[in-house]
Amino acid sequence: MANLDTIDRRLLAELQDEGRVTNVELANRVGLTAPPCLRRVRALEESGVIRGYHADLDASKLGFAITVFAMVSLKSQAEDSLRQFEEAMRDLPEVRECHMLNGEIDFILKIVSKDLQSFQEFLTSKLTPAPNVASVKTSLTIRTAKQMPGVPLE
């Protein structure tokens, strides 16, 4: 873990909650003046602790009415086979997250789709025929009770 002091952690917490905050406002919130605040933020960016800034989009307002979690088992767990599958998932914009798991399921995917028909087409034409796929089990999200980006900082 990066060697972060209390001010760095406060900066990260503020930016994680509101990435568009101005440097002056951020400095006020953490008790710094603007120049050292900017230096600290840039150092956190350059060290890779801050990887980027993103807008939190409402998928349903953009026409993506369903979210599906897919549990994928592969035919082989050889490193080359794992890499081929991961590369294929990176090329599919509907796949928003791809995590390799320990256990009987090899990967879990978070997939967005406009509707069930679109998801079925995606499943049969893109996901199931992807490299090395042995089986896919899917679960449709009914409701999201919590969705928090980032990590706990306190």
Side-chain angles (χ1 to χ4, degrees):
M1 187 166 129
N3 188 16
L4 304 174
D5 65 15
T6 304
I7 293 174
D8 287 338
R9 289 182 179 282
R10 289 177 57 203
L11 286 167
L12 292 171
E14 292 292 338
L15 287 169
Q16 186 169 253
D17 287 342
E18 187 182 352
R20 290 186 58 166
V21 64
T22 66
N23 183 58
V24 171
E25 177 60 25
L26 181 61
N28 286 334
R29 290 181 189 181
V30 301
L32 292 174
T33 59
C37 180
L38 185 58
R39 280 194 297 273
R40 282 177 175 259
V41 171
R42 285 202 175 130
L44 291 165
E45 292 169 346
E46 289 167 7
S47 70
V49 172
I50 297 175
R51 294 185 304 191
Y53 300 89
H54 311 278
D56 183 11
L57 306 179
D58 185 326
S60 64
K61 289 183 180 177
L62 294 168
F64 294 94
I66 64 171
T67 299
V68 178
F69 287 92
M71 287 67 70
V72 180
S73 295
L74 301 181
K75 296 173 190 170
S76 166
Q77 287 72 36
E79 189 59 38
D80 190 49
S81 298
L82 297 170
R83 265 196 293 264
Q84 286 177 354
F85 177 78
E86 290 169 340
E87 287 173 22
M89 294 306 100
R90 280 193 282 276
D91 290 339
L92 299 174
E94 298 90 343
V95 176
R96 304 313 297 168
E97 296 180 28
C98 175
H99 304 275
M100 186 175 176
L101 303 178
N102 179 17
E104 65 183 77
I105 302 297
D106 296 310
F107 286 89
I108 188 166
L109 311 176
K110 179 180 177 184
I111 302 164
V112 295
S113 190
K114 294 187 181 294
D115 52 40
L116 283 173
Q117 183 177 350
S118 298
F119 174 70
Q120 181 180 352
E121 183 178 317
F122 170 82
L123 180 64
T124 57
S125 68
K126 295 180 181 176
L127 182 55
T128 304
N132 199 35
V133 171
S135 68
V136 178
K137 295 178 183 176
T138 61
S139 292
L140 179 67
T141 301
I142 295 171
R143 174 173 58 211
T144 300
K146 183 175 182 179
Q147 186 173 351
M148 299 263 324
V151 296
L153 290 165
E154 300 184 27

